[in-house]
């Protein structure tokens, strides 16, 4: 059995700090990068053990299928630096069918509650505050009303994915819950039918479930990044970003 332990890579030690953040330019961030780079130089690359999180991956080149306005936005200095493509076409990975008894329920309190969300050196109070920030940045592109609506409709799933990452990946407990749900379909129950779903009297579900679908894609990414989390040596890595506790926001239906 491989009992080898490793220094935590930056994207696990500080999951809220994307590579482009000023967090890494001074203070504890800069010190940890120096420590990590020295560790890799002496011990070899460990990305086969801890694949890079989306926060540290290279920018994905936009597909020709994206609108010119979307491609222009991605290159604009108006775009918050932590909003990036997860796929070239900005499409969702999943288009699930919801069969009674074969999906897991997630409640929208995960998205609607106000909770401290750090991103780099900036702090946000809610998922919706991050979404509003992006919507405001679109206004600076001087598009007409129809163009603005079309652009938001095209990019909103990408925005939700990024906002979800910083909302949820900052907590090892939610990550562990996601790992347990590997391969399962997730239905987000919500009054907001874009974010989630509602159950009708006949038992069928109505809604877009964008949050459930995005959470499934986020889950797959987190499983890849955190599959060897137990191999982190916190005695040399310092205090972990979060500690384990009971989490009951998600359960099997």
């Amino acid at each position: 059995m491989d009992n080898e332990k490793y220094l935590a890579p930056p994207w696990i030690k500080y999951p809220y700090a994307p590579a482009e953040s000023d967090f890494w330019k001074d203070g504890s961030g800069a010190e940890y990068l120096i420590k990590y780079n020295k560790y890799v130089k002496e011990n070899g690359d460990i990305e086969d053990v801890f694949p890079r999180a989306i926060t540290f991956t290279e920018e994905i080149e936009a597909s020709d299928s994206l609108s010119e306005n979307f491609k222009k936005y991605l290159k604009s200095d108006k775009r918050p630096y932590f909003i990036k493509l997860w796929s070239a076409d900005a499409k969702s990975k999943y288009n699930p069918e919801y069969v009674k008894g074969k999906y897991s329920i997630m409640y929208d309190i995960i998205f609607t509650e106000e909770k401290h969300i750090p991103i780099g050196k900036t702090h946000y109070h809610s998922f919706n505050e991050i979404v509003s920030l992006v919507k405001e940045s679109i206004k600076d592109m001087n598009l007409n009303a129809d163009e603005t609506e079309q652009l938001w409709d095209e990019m909103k799933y990408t925005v939700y994915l990024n906002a979800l990452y910083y909302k949820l990946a900052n907590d090892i407990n939610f990550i562990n819950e996601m790992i347990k749900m590997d391969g399962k379909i997730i239905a987000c129950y919500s009054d907001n039918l874009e974010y989630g779903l509602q159950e009708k009297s006949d038992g069928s579900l109505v809604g877009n479930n964008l949050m459930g679908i995005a959470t499934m894609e986020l889950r797959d990414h987190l499983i890849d990044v955190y599959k060897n989390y137990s191999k982190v040596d916190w005695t040399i890595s310092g205090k972990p970003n979060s500690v384990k506790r009971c989490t009951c926001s998600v359960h099997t239906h």
Side-chain angles (χ1 to χ4, degrees):
M1 182 178 292
D2 181 10
N3 293 319
E4 187 172 0
K5 295 284 188 176
Y6 306 86
L7 182 75
W11 48 92
I12 286 181
K13 172 67 174 176
Y14 298 104
Y16 57 84
E20 301 84 358
S21 170
D22 287 343
F23 174 84
W24 302 108
K25 294 180 179 179
D26 54 34
S28 58
E31 291 173 4
Y32 198 80
L33 268 187
I34 293 171
K35 180 177 182 177
Y36 178 72
N37 290 333
K38 180 180 179 182
Y39 178 88
V40 169
K41 184 176 181 180
E42 293 175 351
N43 298 277
D45 189 9
I46 59 172
E47 289 185 28
D48 57 333
V49 182
F50 304 104
R52 290 187 177 225
I54 190 69
T55 52
F56 266 73
T57 57
E58 296 292 331
E59 294 282 352
I60 294 174
E61 184 175 352
S63 165
D64 289 338
S65 65
L66 297 186
S67 69
E68 289 304 313
N69 281 335
F70 195 175
K71 287 187 280 189
K72 181 180 178 181
Y73 179 80
L74 290 169
K75 295 179 180 179
S76 169
D77 59 4
K78 307 298 183 184
R79 172 182 65 93
Y81 71 91
F82 55 84
I83 298 297
K84 60 193 298 186
L85 289 175
W86 285 48
S87 64
D89 62 3
K91 301 293 185 183
S92 59
K93 179 179 178 180
Y94 289 99
N95 183 26
E97 293 185 8
Y98 304 97
V99 179
K100 190 76 171 179
K102 294 186 178 181
Y103 58 82
S104 294
I105 295 174
M106 176 175 63
Y107 294 102
D108 68 357
I109 187 173
I110 293 174
F111 316 110
T112 58
E113 68 175 348
E114 290 199 358
K115 184 179 180 181
H116 177 69
I117 306 174
I119 302 180
K121 290 186 173 183
T122 305
H123 300 269
Y124 300 92
H125 297 97
S126 68
F127 175 91
N128 285 330
E129 183 181 358
I130 298 172
V131 172
S132 295
L133 173 71
V134 178
K135 286 184 174 181
E136 286 298 314
S137 70
I138 294 175
K139 292 180 181 179
D140 293 333
M141 294 184 67
N142 297 318
L143 304 176
N144 63 41
D146 287 342
E147 289 173 330
T148 298
E149 183 178 355
Q150 290 169 5
L151 175 57
W152 174 247
D153 190 59
E154 184 180 17
M155 66 183 288
K156 62 187 177 185
Y157 180 74
T158 295
V159 175
Y160 295 161
L161 265 177
N162 285 282
L164 271 178
Y165 181 90
Y166 292 102
K167 168 75 173 178
L168 304 178
N170 201 34
D171 187 344
I172 190 60
N173 299 283
F174 195 87
I175 291 170
N176 286 335
E177 289 298 318
M178 289 294 94
I179 291 174
K180 293 176 186 176
M181 298 173 71
D182 185 14
K184 295 181 179 179
I185 293 171
I186 298 175
C188 175
Y189 275 23
S190 176
D191 291 335
N192 183 323
L193 294 184
E194 177 173 282
Y195 279 9
L197 299 163
Q198 285 184 348
E199 189 170 340
K200 298 168 65 176
S201 58
D202 63 0
S204 63
L205 298 175
V206 59
N208 294 331
N209 195 36
L210 290 184
M211 291 305 169
I213 292 170
T215 301
M216 291 163 62
E217 186 163 347
L218 172 62
R219 170 201 63 201
D220 294 349
H221 181 65
L222 293 176
I223 287 173
D224 191 35
V225 174
Y226 283 83
K227 60 187 175 184
N228 289 314
Y229 185 78
S230 63
K231 294 184 178 182
V232 172
D233 186 345
W234 293 109
T235 63
I236 61 172
S237 302
K239 184 179 178 181
N241 182 64
S242 58
V243 295
K244 293 181 180 181
R245 56 176 169 73
C246 177
T247 302
C248 304
S249 296
V250 183
H251 66 82
T252 301
H253 182 62

